[in-house]
Amino acid sequence: MDGKKVLFVGLGFYNYDSAIKATLDEMGYDTVYATSLVDLGVTGKLFKKLCLGAINRRRADKRVWQNILASRTDNDIIFVIKGENLTRRHLEYLKQKNPKARFILYLWDNLGKIHNRDILLPYFDKISSFDPSDCLCHKDFFFRPLFYQKKGSGSASYKYDISFIGEDRPGRYRFLKKVASLLPSDKNVYFRLKSSVLRTVIDKITGHRLCNNLKLPYDEFCQVTDRSKAVLDIVEENQSGLTMRTIEALAMGKHLYTTNREIQNAPYISPSSFTVLDVDKPVLELGKEGGQDAGFYEYYSLRHCLSDILE
């Protein structure tokens, strides 16, 4: 890397950006960091509820513009993950101030969910995606799955037979209820669907207790996953890429029960470490083992992931 200067524009999610910057530095890059994700707070959520998205977009644009203006110029690489809230003005400025830079975009979401995709894509020299279906549709995309940060503790002491932690998405609550109804009463289960306050209240009143309106910190997610024998994964609609939580569950040695059939084509994942569930008629046979070979841990490491994206 010879000290190449990188402006890394991250996505501001959990501690992933700091881990990525630290790894880039370890790889020999001279890295500075900015983000295109801004927290608009309570007022932002209110404007969204009131369908006043234009106000949120203007506020986001102003804050991202401040980040871009404060960033270093004359970089060798502009590395952007997802690029949420980046506008044509931001990208034109980055091009102007970094005339020799190679622009690299990594899509950490399926393309259909990236609202500014038509603006983003033409500005980048290389585009990689975690979603194999998007890569099939866009022949100039490079496929690169996500990575893991933590392995399991190696302890054989499990608290939960199966766990699920995730955001409320279309169909997830219904499927989670279906799975919960299939599990024997003697199984210890941890299901936590991050949802709205209203759905959380209704869920508790009806006795399901699957929802929680508070976001679970990353360290607690890791603790719950580490103490689970198996992990449930419910893929989002129109997404085929393996999520971070999926890969980290596999890295922790868990057996994965997933609705994502694409996992059968994923490289270096042991076929015995996962079970694909039918969305309409799921069948769960708990007690299966997880575990991966050395090739998995090399390929899905953060360093290997960044090497593939930036090569």
Side-chain angles (χ1 to χ4, degrees):
M1 290 68 185
D2 299 324
K4 281 188 176 181
K5 295 192 293 184
V6 176
L7 171 59
F8 166 42
V9 183
L11 73 170
F13 187 56
Y14 282 134
N15 68 333
Y16 296 137
D17 283 1
S18 58
I20 290 168
K21 183 186 182 305
T23 303
L24 288 171
D25 290 341
E26 290 171 5
M27 293 168 67
Y29 290 105
D30 175 9
T31 315
V32 294
Y33 171 73
T35 180
S36 64
L37 184 69
V38 293
D39 184 1
L40 298 177
V42 176
T43 55
K45 294 178 181 178
L46 178 61
F47 289 148
K48 185 177 180 180
K49 291 284 187 183
L50 296 175
C51 298
L52 298 174
I55 297 176
N56 276 344
R57 286 192 292 273
R58 286 196 296 271
R59 295 172 70 210
D61 176 83
K62 181 179 179 180
R63 295 190 189 180
V64 173
W65 185 241
Q66 290 170 344
N67 289 339
I68 297 297
L69 287 175
S71 62
R72 183 177 64 191
T73 58
D74 290 324
N75 293 282
D76 299 299
I77 297 173
I78 307 298
F79 172 38
V80 177
I81 295 182
K82 190 173 178 180
E84 186 175 7
N85 296 318
L86 288 180
T87 67
R88 188 171 282 108
R89 179 174 71 143
H90 302 144
L91 293 162
E92 289 287 354
Y93 178 83
L94 287 172
K95 284 282 187 181
Q96 178 189 350
K97 294 298 182 180
N98 301 275
K100 298 179 181 179
R102 187 178 183 217
F103 278 61
I104 297 175
L105 175 66
Y106 183 58
L107 298 175
W108 192 318
D109 230 332
N110 64 302
L111 196 58
K113 291 175 62 179
I114 300 175
H115 67 88
N116 57 339
R117 56 188 176 274
D118 293 337
I119 293 172
L120 276 176
L121 301 188
Y123 284 90
F124 288 88
D125 303 300
K126 179 181 179 181
I127 301 172
S128 298
S129 173
F130 90 121
D131 194 295
S133 295
D134 281 344
C135 292
L136 285 174
C137 294
H138 299 267
K139 299 301 183 183
D140 54 337
F141 284 15
F142 295 85
F143 173 60
R144 172 61 231 195
L146 288 163
F147 55 90
Y148 67 89
Q149 284 197 88
K150 296 187 178 183
K151 298 181 182 180
S153 65
S155 170
S157 176
Y158 300 111
K159 183 176 180 180
Y160 307 108
D161 293 286
I162 187 168
S163 65
F164 170 84
I165 300 169
E167 299 277 341
D168 197 351
R169 296 288 186 264
R172 272 189 176 173
Y173 181 68
R174 179 168 48 84
F175 185 79
L176 204 56
K177 282 201 302 181
K178 187 181 297 184
V179 169
S181 70
L182 296 173
L183 295 172
S185 58
D186 63 336
K187 298 300 180 183
N188 200 2
V189 176
Y190 185 102
F191 286 167
R192 184 183 177 114
L193 189 69
K194 170 67 172 64
S195 192
S196 65
V197 174
L198 179 59
R199 169 162 271 187
T200 300
V201 171
I202 295 174
D203 177 68
K204 289 181 178 178
I205 291 173
T206 55
H208 293 107
R209 298 187 177 276
L210 302 174
C211 297
N212 195 305
N213 65 299
L214 300 177
K215 192 172 185 177
L216 190 70
Y218 177 73
D219 286 344
E220 290 186 39
F221 154 74
C222 290
Q223 290 171 15
V224 171
T225 303
D226 194 28
R227 301 195 67 186
S228 301
K229 178 74 173 178
V231 169
L232 176 65
D233 170 53
I234 309 171
V235 70
E236 288 190 41
E237 186 179 2
N238 299 320
Q239 177 179 300
S240 60
L242 303 182
T243 64
M244 282 289 301
R245 287 174 171 172
T246 296
I247 294 173
E248 293 201 314
L250 292 169
M252 289 184 185
K254 312 306 170 184
H255 190 88
L256 188 75
Y257 295 86
T258 179
T259 60
N260 190 349
R261 295 187 177 278
E262 187 59 40
I263 194 172
Q264 298 170 106
N265 303 316
Y268 297 103
I269 295 178
S270 171
S272 63
S273 68
F274 64 84
T275 299
V276 177
L277 301 177
D278 186 288
V279 175
D280 298 316
K281 296 180 179 179
V283 177
L284 266 75
E285 297 177 5
L286 294 182
K288 296 182 179 181
E289 297 295 326
Q292 304 298 328
D293 297 329
F296 170 92
Y297 291 101
E298 168 61 23
Y299 180 73
Y300 289 96
S301 68
L302 176 51
R303 189 183 185 98
H304 200 300
C305 179
L306 292 173
S307 293
D308 286 348
I309 292 169
L310 296 181
E311 70 176 4

